[in-house]
Amino acid sequence: MDYSILSKEVSYALRHAPWEYELEMDEEGWVPVVQLLDALNKSDKWKDIDESDLVEMIARSDKKRHEIANGRIRAFYGHSLPMKITKEKRIPPEVLYHGTARKFVESIRENGLLPQGRQYVHLSQDIETAKNVGRRHDKFPIVLVVDAKKAWDNGVMFYYGNEKVWLADLIPSAYIRENSDLGI
Ligand code: HQG
């Protein structure tokens, strides 16, 4: 069983296309595990999987992407659905980080961080995580520093994703600094 391929498909279903899997999703992004399994079991690739495989998939993942509780499963972050997923507002740490491609920096400096294809801007709790996020877009990523607490104090909303991922509606450029003082 390739749990990372399963995880990609589950992320696709829960973040981007629940209707393709006939999932009834609530406003926090939860869907019944049985519905997801019913849909996955229809394809040859996943015809034998059950809830224990989803539990194993979560346990083996390098990132905390999904959560199972009370017979339901959800993605912690990453959504692009038209229906906005409600996240828990939370006071952020003093600073958060955002790893991105060199080619985006100028536009970010001008327009701030925007959610682009997703519902929220994704921010990282630590520099290493941000670097890894940025590497998805660029071999030599840039890590931006976000003055999160200052932004929060001035009315920018932050939401909790998981221990390493924070979400925001948008980050105005006034709260974004470049990484020259980080030595990276
Ligand atoms: C950029 C993965 C130009 C932004 C990761 C980013 C994360 C702008 C790209 C999670 C911009 C969007 C999300 C602006 C933002 N002008 N570019 N004004 N504002 N951007 O993939 O944050 O492995 O949608 O810098 O690890 O890279 O899937 O977001 O480069 O946690 O679980 O627009 O997805 O997690 O790219 O990644 P993405 P992201 P998983």
Side-chain angles (χ1 to χ4, degrees):
M1 167 86 58
D2 190 332
Y3 287 105
S4 72
I5 295 182
L6 177 60
S7 176
K8 283 211 168 73
E9 181 150 358
V10 169
S11 286
Y12 175 70
L14 297 178
R15 292 173 175 179
H16 309 300
W19 50 86
E20 282 183 32
Y21 297 77
E22 295 175 66
L23 304 177
E24 288 162 313
M25 186 173 279
D26 75 7
E27 57 286 353
E28 292 180 332
W30 292 105
V31 309
V33 170
V34 287
Q35 277 184 11
L36 178 63
L37 285 171
D38 275 353
L40 291 171
N41 289 157
K42 279 184 188 138
S43 82
D44 269 358
K45 214 195 246 146
W46 309 121
K47 66 177 175 350
D48 295 324
I49 65 164
D50 59 24
E51 182 163 346
S52 69
D53 292 302
L54 296 175
V55 170
E56 190 68 19
M57 172 196 85
I58 292 170
R60 287 184 188 220
S61 173
D62 53 330
K63 294 184 187 175
K64 274 192 85 177
R65 296 185 172 96
H66 312 110
E67 168 183 35
I68 292 178
N70 306 316
R72 301 176 306 168
I73 183 167
R74 69 170 173 173
F76 282 117
Y77 59 86
H79 301 88
S80 72
L81 315 164
M83 179 189 87
K84 183 102 184 229
I85 299 298
T86 308
K87 300 302 296 180
E88 178 204 336
K89 283 194 187 85
R90 207 183 271 192
I91 304 180
E94 200 65 39
V95 295
L96 288 167
Y97 303 94
H98 180 84
T100 190
R102 286 166 293 175
K103 64 172 184 261
F104 296 150
V105 170
E106 194 165 321
S107 164
I108 292 171
R109 205 183 285 133
E110 204 170 301
N111 306 305
L113 280 167
L114 305 174
Q116 306 292 55
R118 303 188 197 257
Q119 295 186 354
Y120 297 95
V121 172
H122 287 58
L123 301 163
S124 304
Q125 175 97 24
D126 59 82
I127 296 168
E128 201 46 46
T129 304
K131 265 196 209 170
N132 289 332
V133 174
R135 279 194 195 103
R136 293 161 48 257
H137 301 286
D138 189 346
K139 216 162 31 153
F140 300 105
I142 303 287
V143 174
L144 301 170
V145 183
V146 173
D147 288 314
K149 182 59 170 39
K150 193 161 129 197
W152 169 274
D153 288 341
N154 290 333
V156 175
M157 286 302 163
F158 288 79
Y159 310 86
Y160 187 71
N162 67 23
E163 300 100 80
K164 294 193 166 172
V165 180
W166 284 76
L167 305 170
D169 295 319
L170 93 179
I171 306 288
S173 54
Y175 304 106
I176 301 168
R177 289 182 278 128
E178 284 181 51
N179 61 13
S180 53
D181 51 339
L182 290 174
I184 47 177

